[in-house]
Amino acid sequence: MRRLTWAIGVTFVFVAWYSFSWERAVYGQIPVLTVAPTTPESVRDWDNTVNRMARTDELRVRQQRADTLVLGRSIERLAQYYRGVRVWGGDVSRQLDGPSAVSVFGTVYQGLDFDVTPTLDRDVATTRLQNVGGSLLTPSTEPELVILPDDGGAFRLAWMATVHTRTDVVRFFIDAHTGDVVRRYSMLQRQSPNSTVIHGIGVLGDDKKVSVTPFAGVFIAVDSLRPPAIKTYDLKGDVDRAIAIIFENSTSLSPADIASSSSTTATWFDAPVVDAHTYAGYTYDYYYKRFGRRGLDNANRSLLNIVHSVKRSDIFDASDAVFSTFYANAFYCGQCAGGVMVFGEGLPGGVYLSNGERFDYFAGALDVVAHELTHGVTNYSSQLEYVNESGALNEAFSDMMGTSVEFFFQKPGNGPLKADYVIGEDVDTCCALRFGAHDGGRSMADPALYGQPDHYSKLVVLPPDNEHDNGGVHTNSGIPNHAFYLAIEGGTNRTSGIKVQGLGASNREQIEKVFYRAFAQLMPSNANFAMARTVTLRAAQDLYGLNSAPYNAVRDAWTAVGVN
Amino acid sequence: MRASTCISLTLVLSAGAGERTVSAQSAARTDRVRISINVGAQPSSITFAGSTTKAVYLENAVVGTTYGVRGGQSFDGGVLVRVVGNFGVGVAVSSFVKRQDGAVAGTIPHPFFYNTPRAIAGTAGGLERNELVTHIQAAYVISSAGKVDFALSGGPSFFSVKQGLVSDITYTEQHPYDSATFATALTTTVGASKIGFNAGADVGVRLSKNVGVGGLVRFSRTSIEFPLPGATTNVKSDAGGVQVAGGLRLFF
């Protein structure tokens, strides 16, 4: 009976997850200037504008990185400020070749003219945010005064803070005058030499090499062979401790939490530990080999994985929130415990959702692990706002890279441990009643197969809150996902009927580089799909030239999915 | 035992000939003992190979070395005693020392993936080959023209060979570990003994009653196996070969 209750509840969660089709509210006209110059003259004009705004403190450099794909170039990211207060979403990325600007993309809000003195001071705002968030704010999460472009077409002075709840990390904006919550959404980017190498048995029973560290007679899951420390933590099913570490920030991961082998034998049998640990390493390797990127922050920041946040045997006592967070999910949280990947426990053997769907350990899918780590890359690069179209782009980029990592390390094909364009098929197996019995959660080749739009005309418009998937970020990601697929493999979009001549699987590296460059180097944080088209074309031009085969493939793919 | 190719040039003792030999041919063959001291060359080359394996990253690293022993200088000394008529017995000792490089090539397993070996290549320098061979000879001596005599000899040879072998290598690697670079070879010198054979000819020219000069050509051969630490099989090599030498002859 309890199992049945669970099945019903879980079914509701997932039906809701995939089937939203509400209309989005009309938010009015915000005086926003989209920056996407395409001619050398207009780039130069915008470059001058950016310089002028930087001199007057309207733009502040928030990040500067050397370009790892085009020698001699660098990428600069600037945030917009008004009278010393950050304008939320005002963001510009500028590609520089020495002192000269090659491209400028971004969003700059205009017409700002109001007092930035809040009625609620910081202490009052902190108390208010703690009340609405249900959690104490720490010095590292204290509120920031921002100017929030308002849904009604104006600007609002707001206090913003990221609040860690028991099962979520939520970004709150409260009106700096009234204290009303004006926006909130989840920050969880979800996915439904003293070292040695030992054997490890993965979730799918495959034998793989695991880079570990000998310690006190056993092996611990610390990979010292790669430049960043890759550590995998085993919370041994202690959900309260998991919540305290990940969401409440009331305690920290300790060395004792690092997963350790149960014996001194040279084979590790804890499958989710093995897969989370090795697949995080593979993903790091992919980014390094393909793009020259050194990890999440391009500076070899540690990769921290968490497995066994819950026990499978406790599943029937778990709350809905715990189930959807720690059993049937995987997520990256840049604000949690210094930035962690958390991989869900899946369902116990013999337990299925009512539609027949079943989840295994989420760490068992290479594309899932790479997807989550890519959220970390986004977090340290474009910071694509995890809401609406920019959120869908955030999700899509993770799917693109997750799939690319699969193709980099696995042979193309169907079935376990094969590279394909379906996300999560190795751990999400299905099922007679959902999506025509297809494994996995999304298809880049045929988004409609899993209830996603494959064309911009079918964009699903939802309120941008965490009850509605932050505006359908996991739904609308189907559109850019399909563009990525078409640019590589070619084919005909089912909605538009437009046929794309893809570059072919053997040239997939070129498309991967174009999208990586666009999403991780050039994209501003609040890009929409149209901006993504412009930026990817700029990236293709940078790498391969105007009207080159990759450029044309990317252009035609966006056109086919209705993004112009 | 395999008797194939090596050529060792030794300086044998050939019995001195000269004027006394002319008379001795028919009558008094008064010199019964001849001592020879020669310097020469062992001109032929030997090539052989060996490999070692060891566990690296859960798989076997295989390191193979091709050894080439090129020709070089040799030294030889011996004594021949005429026993009956033209027949005699003798013993000679030859020494051949050569240092040469070995070509190292192998594969190192990848730390992250099975069946993804990384090729590695380099050179192991200063591998010494030291052959010390004792030749037991039965000889037949022919004297002619008074000053010259000629000897044919053959018999077993006792080979004692030391060889520098590559027992392991060091290499460097760094992320992403798709290649490994040879750094150094660790070598060890191992020895082995084996019986082979020799056959040769020696010609001597007497310059005075007891002193002369001469030259020889000898071929000796055996096949030898060196035990190599870390290797599952011994390293097999031929030893000996053609020797060409010349030097001093003393007649008594």
Side-chain angles (χ1 to χ4, degrees):
Chain A
M1 185 61 192
R2 196 168 176 76
R3 182 173 296 188
L4 178 63
T5 304
W6 255 113
I8 293 169
V10 169
T11 302
F12 171 77
V13 169
F14 279 88
V15 167
W17 189 260
Y18 286 103
S19 62
F20 287 133
S21 58
W22 300 350
E23 291 296 317
R24 182 192 291 184
V26 176
Y27 298 129
Q29 297 301 312
I30 300 174
V32 55
L33 186 61
T34 299
V35 183
T38 54
T39 66
E41 293 76 20
S42 57
V43 169
R44 192 164 53 246
D45 289 345
W46 263 107
D47 184 37
N48 290 334
T49 301
V50 169
N51 287 337
R52 178 184 55 74
M53 294 180 73
R55 284 195 300 273
T56 57
D57 203 32
E58 294 172 90
L59 288 174
R60 295 180 186 175
V61 176
R62 67 173 173 86
Q63 189 182 80
Q64 200 160 22
R65 295 268 191 237
D67 189 335
T68 56
L69 293 179
V70 180
L71 195 63
R73 294 194 186 176
S74 61
I75 310 294
E76 188 178 65
R77 294 184 174 280
L78 304 100
Q80 185 181 2
Y81 282 75
Y82 174 72
R83 295 184 181 177
V85 178
R86 179 148 64 126
V87 181
W88 198 256
D91 192 68
V92 172
S93 76
R94 179 164 61 171
Q95 180 189 176
L96 297 167
D97 187 356
S100 304
V102 178
S103 67
V104 181
F105 296 107
T107 303
V108 175
Y109 292 97
Q110 298 180 306
L112 300 166
D113 183 17
F114 57 90
D115 186 3
V116 294
T117 306
T119 303
L120 307 180
D121 65 18
R122 185 183 302 274
D123 291 340
V124 174
T126 299
T127 303
R128 171 69 178 144
L129 285 161
Q130 289 173 342
N131 287 338
V132 298
S135 178
L136 294 177
L137 294 177
T138 62
S140 64
T141 58
E142 65 180 16
E144 177 187 358
L145 188 65
V146 300
I147 296 168
L148 184 67
D150 186 81
D151 293 347
F155 298 100
R156 188 191 298 268
L157 194 62
W159 286 104
M160 182 279 292
T162 302
V163 180
H164 293 239
T165 70
R166 276 181 65 81
T167 57
D168 205 348
V169 177
V170 181
R171 178 166 284 166
F172 282 95
F173 295 82
I174 61 170
D175 190 297
H177 300 298
T178 66
D180 294 338
V181 176
V182 293
R183 185 179 295 177
R184 68 170 191 168
Y185 50 83
S186 173
M187 292 300 292
L188 290 190
Q189 292 156 355
R190 299 170 186 260
Q191 167 78 39
S192 230
N194 173 29
S195 62
T196 191
V197 174
I198 64 173
H199 293 280
I201 305 301
V203 171
L204 300 179
D206 52 317
D207 183 351
K208 48 173 64 91
K209 292 184 178 181
V210 190
S211 175
V212 297
T213 300
F215 180 76
V218 297
F219 300 108
I220 59 174
V222 175
D223 178 356
S224 303
L225 286 177
R226 292 179 170 91
I230 299 177
K231 299 177 183 177
T232 299
Y233 293 88
D234 176 2
L235 297 186
K236 300 178 176 61
D238 186 344
V239 65
D240 290 331
R241 180 165 168 71
I243 289 169
I245 291 170
I246 298 168
F247 297 112
E248 296 178 340
N249 203 24
S250 57
T251 187
S252 306
L253 289 166
S254 74
D257 292 321
I258 294 176
S260 60
S261 65
S262 56
S263 71
T264 57
T265 60
T267 301
W268 200 321
F269 291 101
D270 192 333
V273 171
V274 167
D275 280 347
H277 200 61
T278 53
Y279 288 164
Y282 290 4
T283 304
Y284 176 90
D285 293 345
Y286 168 79
Y287 271 100
Y288 179 72
K289 291 181 179 181
R290 202 60 125 193
F291 312 122
R293 186 183 185 87
R294 297 178 181 278
L296 301 185
D297 61 350
N298 204 14
N300 286 327
R301 184 182 183 82
S302 297
L303 302 179
L304 309 179
N305 308 306
I306 294 179
V307 299
H308 298 317
S309 299
V310 291
K311 291 177 182 170
R312 281 186 166 183
S313 57
D314 293 342
I315 191 169
F316 299 112
D317 298 321
S319 67
D320 287 356
V322 166
F323 177 83
S324 60
T325 302
F326 292 119
Y327 286 93
N329 215 334
F331 59 88
Y332 169 78
C333 181
Q335 294 76 29
C336 307
V340 291
M341 275 72 64
V342 182
F343 298 102
E345 199 72 357
L347 306 180
V351 176
Y352 299 84
L353 305 187
S354 60
N355 64 2
E357 190 175 11
R358 170 171 164 66
F359 297 113
D360 208 331
Y361 296 102
F362 276 72
L366 177 56
D367 55 359
V368 170
V369 176
H371 175 109
E372 300 310 336
L373 280 164
T374 298
H375 280 309
V377 171
T378 300
N379 195 48
Y380 283 100
S381 56
S382 65
Q383 297 179 354
L384 278 163
E385 192 71 353
Y386 201 59
V387 65
N388 295 334
E389 287 190 23
S390 59
L393 289 170
N394 189 323
E395 270 301 314
F397 183 50
S398 280
D399 283 350
M400 293 170 194
M401 294 296 105
T403 295
S404 298
V405 172
E406 266 199 359
F407 276 97
F408 196 84
F409 290 104
Q410 298 177 342
K411 292 178 179 173
N414 298 314
L417 302 171
K418 293 290 177 66
D420 56 27
Y421 286 95
V422 176
I423 307 300
E425 75 285 356
D426 283 357
V427 295
D428 177 2
T429 52
C430 212
C431 88
L433 302 178
R434 189 185 71 111
F435 306 143
H438 300 294
D439 292 343
R442 293 182 289 279
S443 168
M444 305 176 82
D446 188 0
L449 209 55
Y450 293 78
Q452 287 189 299
D454 65 357
H455 192 271
Y456 195 69
S457 64
K458 296 181 177 177
L459 186 79
V460 176
V461 180
L462 295 170
D465 55 40
N466 51 345
E467 282 76 28
H468 301 95
D469 189 23
N470 288 9
V473 297
H474 289 87
T475 304
N476 292 323
S477 59
I479 296 167
N481 273 355
H482 194 47
F484 178 78
Y485 168 83
L486 289 173
I488 295 173
E489 302 289 348
T492 303
N493 179 269
R494 293 172 188 270
T495 301
S496 68
I498 294 175
K499 185 176 183 180
V500 178
Q501 181 70 47
L503 275 194
S506 60
N507 295 314
R508 60 178 308 116
E509 178 177 352
Q510 294 176 315
I511 298 299
E512 290 173 16
K513 285 183 173 176
V514 167
F515 277 78
Y516 167 79
R517 179 173 182 76
F519 278 73
Q521 295 185 324
L522 305 181
M523 197 83 78
S525 62
N526 62 345
N528 58 16
F529 288 1
M531 173 71 81
R533 174 192 168 106
T534 305
V535 175
T536 47
L537 288 176
R538 175 73 243 185
Q541 182 179 341
D542 290 341
L543 294 172
Y544 305 109
L546 188 66
N547 295 323
S548 60
Y551 182 96
N552 293 340
V554 172
R555 179 196 60 207
D556 295 347
W558 282 115
T559 301
V561 300
V563 175
N564 295 297
Chain B
M1 179 193 308
R2 200 175 116 213
S4 46
T5 51
C6 192
I7 302 173
S8 92
L9 311 149
T10 359
L11 343 131
V12 168
L13 319 157
S14 83
E19 299 148 29
R20 288 185 65 174
T21 310
V22 174
S23 55
Q25 172 112 20
S26 54
R29 194 180 294 278
T30 56
D31 54 316
R32 296 185 59 84
V33 176
R34 284 174 290 178
I35 296 172
S36 62
I37 301 170
N38 297 307
V39 175
Q42 184 165 303
S44 58
S45 297
I46 296 171
T47 300
F48 62 101
S51 66
T52 60
T53 61
K54 68 173 181 177
V56 175
Y57 299 136
L58 307 176
E59 297 176 275
N60 280 333
V62 180
V63 176
T65 306
T66 301
Y67 304 88
V69 182
R70 292 191 297 272
Q73 197 172 45
S74 64
F75 299 92
D76 181 282
V79 57
L80 175 65
V81 178
R82 186 176 296 150
V83 180
V84 178
N86 288 353
F87 293 96
V89 295
V91 58
V93 176
S94 62
S95 171
F96 170 75
V97 178
K98 184 73 178 178
R99 296 172 79 92
Q100 66 283 303
D101 294 342
V104 179
T107 57
I108 308 296
H110 196 287
F112 302 146
F113 306 105
Y114 293 111
N115 304 314
T116 313
R118 298 167 292 166
I120 198 168
T123 301
L127 299 170
E128 185 171 288
R129 170 82 158 202
N130 188 333
E131 294 185 4
L132 184 65
V133 189
T134 302
H135 307 282
I136 305 299
Q137 299 164 317
Y140 182 79
V141 181
I142 305 167
S143 296
S144 65
K147 287 187 175 183
V148 178
D149 65 11
F150 182 77
L152 295 173
S153 64
S157 295
F158 298 88
F159 288 80
S160 175
V161 183
K162 291 180 179 177
Q163 173 70 51
L165 297 174
V166 174
S167 58
D168 199 357
I169 63 166
T170 62
Y171 55 91
T172 59
E173 59 180 0
Q174 64 180 12
H175 183 267
Y177 304 104
D178 290 338
S179 63
T181 304
F182 175 86
T184 59
L186 307 178
T187 62
T188 183
T189 299
V190 296
S193 299
K194 192 82 175 281
I195 296 176
F197 72 91
N198 70 87
D202 182 289
V203 60
V205 178
R206 193 186 301 267
L207 302 177
S208 67
K209 177 182 177 183
N210 297 109
V211 179
V213 295
L216 72 85
V217 174
R218 178 192 296 137
F219 178 78
S220 64
R221 169 64 77 220
T222 192
S223 179
I224 205 160
E225 294 189 9
F226 303 106
L228 176 60
T232 53
T233 58
N234 292 336
V235 177
K236 296 179 181 177
S237 168
D238 288 336
V242 171
Q243 281 183 306
V244 179
L248 186 65
R249 301 289 183 270
L250 302 175
F251 303 93
F252 300 101

